[in-house]
Amino acid sequence: MLAPDAGCGRDVVEDGVTACVFLASMRPRSLLRFISISDLQRQQRMPCCSHLTWNTNEFKEWAHQGQGALPMQSALPRTYLILVGYLTDGRQEDKEKLVDGCLYVKDNTGIIPCELLYFQLEWLDSLFLFPSWSYIPQTDQSATGYVEILVDPVPVNLPKEVPDSIPVTYPVSAELLLTSRIPCKKRSKLTVAGELARLGPLLCIRHKTFFFLFLKCFTSAVWVPVLVQKPNQLAWHHILQLGRSYTITGLSMSSLKKSGHRMFVTGVSSCLLPYCAEQVREQPLDSALQGESTESSSLETAEQLSDSLELGVEEERPRSTKESKIISYVGTVTKILNVQAGLFLLDNKVCLCLAYQQLLNSARGLRPGACVELIDVHLLQKPLVSFPFIVLGACLSSTVVLKSFSRLSTPYQPPASSGNLYLQLLFRYNLGMPLYLWLVSLLEMFEERFSCFFGRHRPLLRSTHQNAGAAEKFLVPLLQAVVPDREEARDIYNEILAKVHQCPLQKYMTLNPPCQAPSLSAVCHVAEQKSWEGFSPSQLLSPLEAQHMGTQELNRRLTWSYYTVSPGSFQPRLILLGVLRVSSRSSSLQLQDKSSTLPCVIARKDGSPFTHTALLGSLLQVENYQLIVERFLQTDFPSWEHLENLEHVREKKNSVYVQFYFEDVQVLHAAEGQIQKCLRSGNSSSLRKKDDGSLTSELEAPEAKMLKLEDPKPDTHRDENCQGGQSSTRRTSCVSRLFLVTQKEGLMLRNYQLPGEKVGEGRELQRSFQATVLWLGRPQLWSHPRETGNLPELEESGCDGEESVTRQEALLLFMRKSLRWFPFLHLDGLYRFIVPCCSDLEVFDKLCFPPVPAKFLSRSSCPLCLPVQDTWHLQHETWISCLTERQLAAVSVQAGMDQRISSIPEVLSSSFTGSLVSFSGEIMERTLCASPKNEKPSVTVSLQKQKGSLLASGHSVKLSVSVAPGSPVMVDIYIAATYLQHLWGLLPGAKILFQNLERKISRFHNVYCTYIASSCVSIISLPASHLPFPSNPAGEASSPSLVFLSSLQPHLQNLPQARILCHLSCVLTLSLQWVCSLCSSIFKEGRCTRHSPPCPSHTGVRQASAWVLVEDGTGEALVLCRNQHVAAMLGLSLLEWEALQNSVQSRGRVSIEHGEATGTGCVEEPEDLIACYLRSLCRSPLICRPILLDFSLNRKPSKILQPAPLQLRNFRCGEVEFVSQVGPRLNLLCLNVDEVEQDALSYLNSERIRRTSGHCQVEATA
């Protein structure tokens, strides 16, 4: 175990060794054994300690005292191992190894680092018996640990002798030499003696290790600096103790060119000796100046170090700053906060930061339970708002002394020796303590959230000069934004040597983090909180509309709403981070971290669908996004008057998702392709046909020679297989096939019967989708998946006769894991299936089967079904619109069918004949309504309902979709609530591509569409960032255009809203009533009038309606007015209208109806004063006045008889009577009524006259 010359030629020190051997001999021989360094490192996996001279009680007392600060930790277990070895600084082991100042124990089997609380220079390279020590392995068991020497080792050989008398110079005289102007080269080497006032940390810059020490005069405060940088002298750092006196020989003087600082520098022959007054004599100053001296060779090196270390000092910002206090502190390490960042918790209340010093001993000894003494450290209170501890920061002038080792069984986790991103960014951007703590929090968050997705967390934090790691890509832009440009560099020599202390920790200010990146679960939680903060149901409804709603309609309108949260809504700004995945349940895209998942909608700014399958598994960063909180309420409000009483809110639910553009995404870490993952596996299973036509799974090993693109003709002599065998060529080959998507259907539960599967009634439906595609060209064989590209199929298509284009259409069935391709597969896209580890060109044909037996349907009339396998990879190549003319011609030869994208005007046209339609448009309004009574839910809908939906099955959503904002063409789309469970992004302002909707015509001849089981939607563009308030999802529309009634006839069906300046001719009918909020029966004298069965409601709702006749000189129209618009038509103020409706409450209902001529058709009771008042009001000349009317088409016209078309009508203006031909009356719905002031009336009349005269001139010319 020991070196061959161990102890040879040396006398044994009888006292120490004999005592240890005697005490150890008292143990049972079966327990004691010698252990070599190599055996200790290889066999011992857990922390342990060995105390040869202690009995059991002494060990228990020692262990009990160590558990005082951390009672939950267990003490070090005891072993009976004898360790003997040499103490060395590692210089003799490896000539090329950098000497870092660490100490080691070695024997002829190995070497291991060690830590000592006390060390003497004469111990170096001496043989010792270690009576008391601890072995601390690393948390990573593949690396070795270190040894803590608990008590002084017992030397086996005698120490070296010390010379008797040494001439020395004391710091007072030495300081005069440093400040004198005599050139350095005229000075001789000196021996300086003094008290150690300060000990700098070990520093390593450009593979040069050094440290500074400061010797103080015994009788004054004068001190001189000494630079120690020789490899054989770095072990002095373990010997030196503050307050002790030392003598250093062979010192020369040197200075730094830039700063002008002067210091003493050790030479090769320098020695460190303990100061003893009897062994030294003071050397006169004159003798120190005599003789020639050689200039220290380390001077140039020191200058290089000063030039190379460009560590900047943090500038003061124009805000108020704090001054840190310099204190000394003794505490116990209770927790390692982050060893990579140099953060340790002392006494459970103070954070020690050693990042501004280099931990060249790899933080050995700083385990929980160890006691440390801190001298001249900076005290920073609340440097970061979110940081809970006071911080003690050690700069280059601070001293950290390990006072005692931990007695607890805590493992050792060393900081990274290279590539430490914490320290790299700290020094690169010259961060102060507040910014550094913020940096640490972001990196810790990064590791915590995403290390589980990428195996070991090192790839996320790893950074090289060529390739930045994911964490560096995330942090560098943030640091560049918050850290201003630096003009001053951090001068470490000035920081260490200056009389007035300056360092990055001297001044600081409390930092409010400029941004945050919380976990996805926290993001969802905060978004939910914001959506419900200050929420009131009355916010979702207009008071003028709500007061006329019944209970059912009122609560239905409150059921579903949404709330938008932008990045600016968070303080500080919130950045989204997540791994892109596809939900296995909903097949929707989602961001994922360790805490949760967040569904996402990704669009492209150019309007093309998102198709980047390579991003699956990649780590994404998004700063510009919209968080959408869909809110779902179950309420039982009796009427609008109770909306402020939240007791009627029975249940609140919500779902959160995010939507953003692909162009706003930054890829921090690109995942390895799915193909490469399959290639590494070396084999996988594939389906092949048996003789009976069924499918079975087997491993296959093709024999083929492949270079790049292989001969696409299949080899009939080799086995029918598509999996890699033993050769590397087979493991990397793949087969691909190009196809064009001509039709895609939505997700639904389908009952597919694959060949070979048994038919059973208990078979469950499985979620799936299908797409109709056209194969382009023949399958291609590639030597490596990365070489696929350039669309060679389109270059050869159509060149091999008719056989190459027959049976080119296929129906792809996506089930199980292949559902992940649903968000990426889009109409008119060219895609490629890649089958990894395969060389069988017939793999696609072997898996195809007819959708129905051939005896029922000809094979040529229906495409074959191809179940997409879980291991296949989908790759988007291009769009059909991006092909060249030659490629497009090749595609058109094989194009058998395509799904036609119609326009909204075409869908609304009466000449349109299709039943399934596809079109795109922008959602103008989203309204929740009751499902049509004549539509029964399908089996698929019922099964979806069982799995849970946030909306009741009796609800449907109506989407009003227009070609563009302000367009007069609009179509309504109805989607059942059960289909909305996984349809994200259906918001006002979003542009959507709807596919396979069912076109229907209502009984009023209105065209609308419904979402069916095979329908599908794709998000083309997202709503603008300034979304309107959810209660008005359509937003504030621009003022409707001013039109004439005669000009509305050609496009009346498609008119959403317009405005006319008209004259109110008369009021035809008027009805004021109070109805029950539950059953809509008449509500009279505070109760419902329904008796069979009795209605329990005690709440009534007032409603009003009127039909009025208006004309604008070019035509007439019947206008239906409701509720508050009736008051505007009658010209009543709010108080008058309120009093009138209250008067109707005791009667329940008041109605009048009369013809257009005076005194015809009255149906009211003569003695009813309210009815008489209303009749006289309707016949009053004051009612007949000019008004500005906003209207829309009344899609449900009244039963009132209309005049025959093209009548001759008499009009009188004063004494002049006119005869005019008038077209049929239009049925309009009043949206708003405005009184016309005199100035506005004059302007509008002049505008009408101008437009009318121009219209007449055109007709006369014609």
Side-chain angles (χ1 to χ4, degrees):
M1 179 181 69
L2 299 178
D5 60 344
C8 296
R10 303 188 182 187
D11 298 330
V12 177
V13 180
E14 295 290 343
D15 296 339
V17 176
T18 303
C20 290
V21 173
F22 172 74
L23 292 174
S25 63
M26 299 176 63
R27 311 285 179 197
R29 291 188 177 182
S30 59
L31 297 179
L32 283 175
R33 65 184 178 93
F34 283 93
I35 188 167
S36 65
I37 300 296
S38 60
D39 289 342
L40 181 64
Q41 294 173 329
R42 184 176 62 254
Q43 298 175 5
Q44 193 64 37
R45 299 299 183 184
M46 299 296 294
C48 65
C49 64
S50 178
H51 305 279
L52 298 180
T53 61
W54 292 4
N55 58 33
T56 303
N57 292 332
E58 290 174 332
F59 171 74
K60 288 182 178 180
E61 178 63 22
W62 175 82
H64 179 71
Q65 292 176 359
Q67 293 179 289
L70 298 170
M72 302 303 295
Q73 295 284 351
S74 59
L76 282 167
R78 185 178 184 181
T79 60
Y80 298 94
L81 300 174
I82 303 175
L83 182 64
V84 180
Y86 287 95
L87 279 176
T88 178
D89 58 5
R91 283 181 290 125
Q92 299 178 358
E93 295 304 314
D94 188 354
K95 299 295 183 180
E96 302 297 329
K97 179 185 176 184
L98 173 67
V99 178
D100 54 8
C102 297
L103 296 177
Y104 300 86
V105 177
K106 71 169 184 176
D107 60 14
N108 60 351
T109 67
I111 187 170
I112 187 171
C114 70
E115 291 294 322
L116 297 92
L117 299 179
Y118 174 74
F119 181 70
Q120 297 181 13
L121 189 61
E122 56 269 21
W123 293 359
L124 204 61
D125 296 327
S126 298
L127 182 62
F128 287 93
L129 169 69
F130 301 97
S132 185
W133 52 274
S134 300
Y135 174 69
I136 310 299
Q138 290 193 25
T139 52
D140 183 6
Q141 295 186 358
S142 62
T144 60
Y146 72 98
V147 173
E148 295 176 348
I149 309 301
L150 304 180
V151 298
D152 292 348
V154 178
V156 177
N157 52 329
L158 293 175
K160 302 174 183 178
E161 295 183 359
V162 180
D164 294 334
S165 179
I166 303 175
V168 299
T169 301
Y170 291 103
V172 174
S173 301
E175 200 265 344
L176 292 176
L177 293 177
L178 292 178
T179 57
S180 66
R181 298 185 178 273
I182 302 175
C184 296
K185 62 182 180 181
K186 292 185 179 180
R187 296 175 184 159
S188 61
K189 292 186 178 293
L190 302 177
T191 298
V192 180
E195 178 186 339
L196 183 64
R198 182 152 57 95
L199 178 63
L202 281 165
L203 299 175
C204 181
I205 301 174
R206 289 195 175 180
H207 308 291
K208 185 70 175 181
T209 306
F210 62 96
F211 69 92
F212 284 90
L213 60 89
F214 299 84
L215 294 178
K216 186 176 71 72
C217 184
F218 297 114
T219 58
S220 66
V222 178
W223 52 264
V224 292
V226 179
L227 173 62
V228 181
Q229 59 180 356
K230 299 302 179 183
N232 62 328
Q233 298 162 1
L234 296 179
W236 294 2
H237 202 269
H238 299 272
I239 302 169
L240 297 167
Q241 298 185 32
L242 295 178
R244 298 286 182 92
S245 300
Y246 298 96
T247 300
I248 304 178
T249 66
L251 297 178
S252 60
M253 289 175 285
S254 181
S255 64
L256 301 175
K257 293 179 181 179
K258 286 188 177 181
S259 62
H261 290 294
R262 298 192 177 192
M263 71 205 76
F264 290 102
V265 181
T266 61
V268 178
S269 60
S270 298
C271 296
L272 174 67
L273 304 172
Y275 175 78
C276 181
E278 293 78 11
Q279 296 179 351
V280 299
R281 64 181 186 275
E282 183 174 3
Q283 181 179 15
L285 186 61
D286 294 338
S287 62
L289 299 175
Q290 296 176 358
E292 294 185 3
S293 72
T294 57
E295 186 177 0
S296 174
S297 60
S298 64
L299 177 60
E300 182 180 356
T301 303
E303 290 294 343
Q304 291 176 354
L305 295 178
S306 178
D307 295 339
S308 64
L309 188 63
E310 298 294 331
L311 305 182
V313 180
E314 187 176 15
E315 295 178 354
E316 290 189 28
R317 299 185 183 180
R319 301 196 300 267
S320 60
T321 59
K322 304 177 185 178
E323 192 85 18
S324 62
K325 297 180 181 180
I326 297 180
I327 66 169
S328 296
Y329 184 85
V330 178
T332 301
V333 179
T334 53
K335 184 179 180 181
I336 299 178
L337 297 178
N338 190 325
V339 69
Q340 306 297 334
L343 299 181
F344 304 85
L345 185 62
L346 305 181
D347 302 327
N348 290 318
K349 59 182 179 181
V350 179
C351 172
L352 169 62
C353 178
L354 300 179
Y356 293 84
Q357 292 186 350
Q358 291 182 334
L359 297 175
L360 292 188
N361 67 335
S362 300
R364 287 189 289 268
L366 293 179
R367 298 185 298 115
C371 180
V372 293
E373 180 181 5
L374 310 175
I375 302 170
D376 294 338
V377 293
H378 294 263
L379 172 66
L380 297 91
Q381 296 184 357
K382 207 66 176 176
L384 185 66
V385 172
S386 58
F387 196 70
F389 305 112
I390 298 174
V391 180
L392 296 178
C395 67
L396 296 180
S397 294
S398 306
T399 304
V400 180
V401 181
L402 189 63
K403 301 296 290 183
S404 65
F405 291 115
S406 173
R407 306 176 185 182
L408 304 175
S409 180
T410 53
Y412 165 60
Q413 180 184 357
S417 57
S418 63
N420 189 323
L421 191 59
Y422 293 93
L423 301 185
Q424 285 182 5
L425 297 178
L426 168 66
F427 295 136
R428 185 190 308 172
Y429 294 99
N430 312 326
L431 303 178
M433 183 65 74
L435 280 175
Y436 179 65
L437 293 178
W438 176 59
L439 165 71
V440 171
S441 66
L442 291 178
L443 279 173
E444 289 177 341
M445 169 278 305
F446 209 86
E447 288 188 61
E448 170 66 21
R449 292 176 57 187
F450 303 114
S451 60
C452 59
F453 292 94
F454 304 100
R456 302 174 66 181
H457 66 269
R458 296 304 304 166
L460 293 177
L461 302 185
R462 183 173 56 238
S463 178
T464 62
H465 294 291
Q466 293 80 11
N467 298 315
E472 186 175 359
K473 290 181 182 178
F474 168 62
L475 289 170
V476 165
L478 302 180
L479 294 177
Q480 290 175 341
V482 299
V483 179
D485 295 334
R486 309 298 188 185
E487 296 181 358
E488 296 183 13
R490 180 182 175 186
D491 188 350
I492 65 166
Y493 297 102
N494 187 63
E495 184 175 329
I496 297 173
L497 301 173
K499 299 292 184 181
V500 179
H501 180 59
Q502 295 179 358
C503 77
L505 302 179
Q506 195 170 10
K507 294 181 179 181
Y508 71 100
M509 58 189 122
T510 301
L511 175 68
N512 284 309
C515 64
Q516 57 177 325
S519 64
L520 292 180
S521 62
V523 170
C524 294
H525 179 70
V526 173
E528 293 170 2
Q529 280 187 327
K530 285 183 174 292
S531 69
W532 297 112
E533 283 179 359
F535 172 76
S536 174
S538 59
Q539 299 172 351
L540 304 178
L541 301 172
S542 169
L544 295 177
E545 296 179 358
Q547 60 182 332
H548 304 291
M549 293 181 182
T551 299
Q552 188 175 5
E553 181 182 3
L554 178 69
N555 290 287
R556 183 173 60 245
R557 293 284 293 273
L558 297 175
T559 299
W560 189 24
S561 61
Y562 72 95
Y563 183 86
T564 304
V565 186
S566 63
S569 303
F570 298 95
Q571 293 299 329
R573 179 172 54 95
L574 192 147
I575 299 175
L576 282 181
L577 298 175
V579 178
L580 186 65
R581 297 292 179 91
V582 178
S583 170
S584 59
R585 186 172 64 92
S586 63
S587 299
S588 61
L589 293 171
Q590 60 184 16
L591 295 177
Q592 187 175 5
D593 66 2
K594 185 179 180 180
S595 66
S596 182
T597 59
L598 179 62
C600 62
V601 175
I602 306 178
R604 293 182 61 96
K605 293 183 179 179
D606 60 2
S608 62
F610 176 71
T611 57
H612 294 266
T613 57
L615 285 185
L616 281 179
S618 299
L619 179 57
L620 307 183
Q621 172 185 344
V622 188
E623 297 190 42
N624 188 15
Y625 56 86
Q626 297 172 356
L627 273 175
I628 309 298
V629 184
E630 300 278 8
R631 300 179 297 199
F632 304 91
L633 294 177
Q634 288 189 9
T635 59
D636 56 2
F637 289 101
S639 69
W640 69 277
E641 297 174 340
H642 301 82
L643 288 178
E644 299 300 329
N645 186 1
L646 297 182
E647 294 180 356
H648 294 283
V649 179
R650 299 305 180 193
E651 188 177 17
K652 293 194 302 185
K653 294 182 180 179
N654 53 256
S655 63
V656 184
Y657 65 94
V658 64
Q659 51 188 18
F660 51 85
Y661 283 105
F662 168 72
E663 289 79 1
D664 295 327
V665 170
Q666 181 181 0
V667 180
L668 299 180
H669 185 276
E672 295 186 27
Q674 301 293 330
I675 310 172
Q676 303 304 320
K677 189 181 298 184
C678 294
L679 291 178
R680 289 196 307 270
S681 64
N683 54 36
S684 57
S685 61
S686 171
L687 294 178
R688 57 173 292 188
K689 282 190 177 183
K690 285 184 179 180
D691 295 336
D692 58 0
S694 63
L695 300 180
T696 182
S697 175
E698 69 174 29
L699 294 176
E700 308 174 49
E703 297 290 341
K705 294 182 179 180
M706 292 160 286
L707 297 176
K708 288 189 177 179
L709 179 59
E710 299 292 333
D711 182 8
K713 296 181 180 180
D715 187 356
T716 57
H717 297 287
R718 61 183 174 212
D719 295 336
E720 297 179 357
N721 47 49
C722 62
Q723 301 304 324
Q726 298 178 354
S727 66
S728 60
T729 305
R730 280 174 266 153
R731 287 196 300 268
T732 59
S733 63
C734 68
V735 173
S736 73
R737 191 162 193 184
L738 190 70
F739 63 89
L740 169 68
V741 179
T742 59
Q743 186 174 4
K744 174 189 174 184
E745 296 187 3
L747 282 168
M748 63 177 293
L749 297 176
R750 290 180 170 89
N751 186 18
Y752 284 123
Q753 184 68 38
L754 299 179
E757 294 183 350
K758 295 182 179 180
V759 180
E761 297 182 358
R763 178 182 176 84
E764 292 186 0
L765 302 181
Q766 52 183 327
R767 188 178 300 276
S768 61
F769 77 97
Q770 60 189 28
T772 304
V773 303
L774 292 176
W775 295 122
L776 302 180
R778 294 172 297 184
Q780 305 289 335
L781 185 60
W782 305 85
S783 62
H784 199 282
R786 294 178 181 175
E787 297 169 352
T788 59
N790 301 325
L791 305 180
E793 296 88 344
L794 299 185
E795 304 298 330
E796 64 182 24
S797 295
C799 301
D800 297 328
E802 290 296 327
E803 187 177 353
S804 63
V805 296
T806 57
R807 290 173 49 187
Q808 292 298 306
E809 191 174 290
L811 183 65
L812 303 181
L813 309 180
F814 295 83
M815 297 173 288
R816 297 183 292 273
K817 290 184 179 181
S818 63
L819 290 177
R820 68 185 184 274
W821 306 124
F822 179 78
F824 302 99
L825 203 68
H826 297 283
L827 194 66
D828 291 336
L830 270 72
Y831 295 84
R832 184 185 301 278
F833 271 136
I834 301 176
V835 184
C837 308
C838 177
S839 60
D840 184 7
L841 296 176
E842 296 180 349
V843 59
F844 300 101
D845 296 333
K846 293 176 181 178
L847 295 175
C848 290
F849 64 92
V852 294
K855 62 181 180 180
F856 296 111
L857 186 64
S858 174
R859 210 175 188 189
S860 60
S861 62
C862 188
L864 293 177
C865 295
L866 174 63
V868 179
Q869 304 302 296
D870 295 344
T871 58
W872 292 2
H873 186 78
L874 181 70
Q875 177 178 305
H876 178 257
E877 295 292 346
T878 184
W879 300 101
I880 192 171
S881 58
C882 300
L883 296 177
T884 63
E885 293 184 2
R886 179 180 179 183
Q887 292 174 335
L888 196 60
V891 174
S892 62
V893 169
Q894 303 178 69
M897 62 166 291
D898 61 345
Q899 181 181 354
R900 183 172 180 271
I901 303 297
S902 307
S903 64
I904 293 180
E906 290 175 343
V907 173
L908 295 176
S909 174
S910 59
S911 60
F912 193 89
T913 58
S915 59
L916 293 181
V917 295
S918 298
F919 57 87
S920 63
E922 183 173 333
I923 299 178
M924 308 306 298
E925 187 177 0
R926 187 181 81 172
T927 309
L928 195 66
C929 56
S931 297
K933 297 180 180 179
N934 58 345
E935 292 187 4
K936 296 182 180 180
S938 63
V939 177
T940 301
V941 172
S942 302
L943 290 174
Q944 288 177 341
K945 178 183 176 182
Q946 295 175 3
K947 296 185 178 181
S949 176
L950 295 176
L951 286 175
S953 58
H955 290 156
S956 293
V957 63
K958 182 182 77 171
L959 301 178
S960 298
V961 179
S962 176
V963 177
S967 172
V969 182
M970 188 177 296
V971 64
D972 292 335
I973 300 172
Y974 292 87
I975 305 177
T978 48
Y979 290 122
L980 295 171
Q981 189 173 1
H982 306 301
L983 294 182
W984 311 103
L986 299 182
L987 301 177
K991 190 172 182 180
I992 312 294
L993 173 63
F994 298 93
Q995 301 176 58
N996 297 328
L997 298 180
E998 185 177 6
R999 181 179 182 269
K1000 292 187 175 183
I1001 301 178
S1002 69
R1003 56 178 175 164
F1004 299 105
H1005 304 286
N1006 297 317
V1007 176
Y1008 67 98
C1009 296
T1010 59
Y1011 190 97
I1012 58 178
S1014 60
S1015 300
C1016 185
V1017 298
S1018 300
I1019 308 296
I1020 297 178
S1021 65
L1022 305 177
S1025 57
H1026 51 280
L1027 288 175
F1029 191 73
S1031 62
N1032 183 18
E1036 296 184 2
S1038 58
S1039 299
S1041 58
L1042 189 64
V1043 299
F1044 291 104
L1045 289 176
S1046 61
S1047 64
L1048 297 180
Q1049 293 291 346
H1051 56 274
L1052 184 61
Q1053 286 287 335
N1054 302 328
L1055 184 69
Q1057 187 174 349
R1059 173 178 291 181
I1060 56 172
L1061 176 64
C1062 59
H1063 185 269
L1064 199 160
S1065 299
C1066 65
V1067 179
L1068 300 179
T1069 64
L1070 176 62
S1071 174
L1072 301 180
Q1073 60 185 0
W1074 282 74
V1075 298
C1076 176
S1077 62
L1078 286 180
C1079 65
S1080 300
S1081 300
I1082 296 300
F1083 195 84
K1084 186 176 181 179
E1085 296 180 350
R1087 63 179 181 273
C1088 181
T1089 58
R1090 193 184 75 178
H1091 299 291
S1092 180
C1095 180
S1097 174
H1098 297 281
T1099 304
V1101 177
R1102 49 193 178 187
Q1103 295 179 349
S1105 63
W1107 280 95
V1108 300
L1109 180 66
V1110 299
E1111 57 88 15
D1112 68 345
T1114 67
E1116 292 181 321
L1118 293 173
V1119 182
L1120 174 62
C1121 306
R1122 289 194 178 98
N1123 301 322
Q1124 70 272 16
H1125 300 315
V1126 176
M1129 282 291 185
L1130 297 179
L1132 299 178
S1133 66
L1134 291 179
L1135 292 178
E1136 293 172 337
W1137 180 245
E1138 187 76 17
L1140 180 61
Q1141 291 185 104
N1142 291 336
S1143 301
V1144 177
Q1145 185 174 9
S1146 60
R1147 295 166 173 80
R1149 179 178 182 181
V1150 174
S1151 300
I1152 63 169
E1153 182 177 347
H1154 59 277
E1156 300 173 33
T1158 303
T1160 61
C1162 296
V1163 296
E1164 71 277 4
E1165 296 293 334
E1167 64 274 8
D1168 193 330
L1169 297 180
I1170 300 299
C1172 293
Y1173 167 74
L1174 291 175
R1175 178 167 53 86
S1176 60
L1177 180 63
C1178 293
R1179 294 176 179 177
S1180 172
L1182 297 177
I1183 296 297
C1184 302
R1185 68 194 189 279
I1187 59 173
L1188 198 60
L1189 176 67
D1190 292 352
F1191 67 91
S1192 65
L1193 172 66
N1194 182 17
R1195 297 180 180 272
K1196 298 180 181 180
S1198 169
K1199 300 295 184 181
I1200 296 179
L1201 295 177
Q1202 301 180 11
L1206 298 177
Q1207 294 188 43
L1208 289 177
R1209 297 288 303 278
N1210 294 331
F1211 297 93
R1212 179 179 294 276
C1213 181
E1215 297 181 355
V1216 181
E1217 185 173 352
F1218 298 90
V1219 178
S1220 177
Q1221 192 176 26
V1222 179
R1225 290 175 176 175
L1226 305 175
N1227 283 277
L1228 307 179
L1229 181 63
C1230 176
L1231 300 178
N1232 189 44
V1233 178
D1234 288 327
E1235 301 294 336
V1236 184
E1237 298 181 358
Q1238 187 63 37
D1239 295 339
L1241 182 61
S1242 300
Y1243 169 75
L1244 292 174
N1245 276 328
S1246 62
E1247 185 69 15
R1248 279 163 44 103
I1249 293 173
R1250 183 183 64 80
R1251 294 181 60 185
T1252 304
S1253 60
H1255 179 69
C1256 294
Q1257 290 177 2
V1258 171
E1259 288 185 350
T1261 304

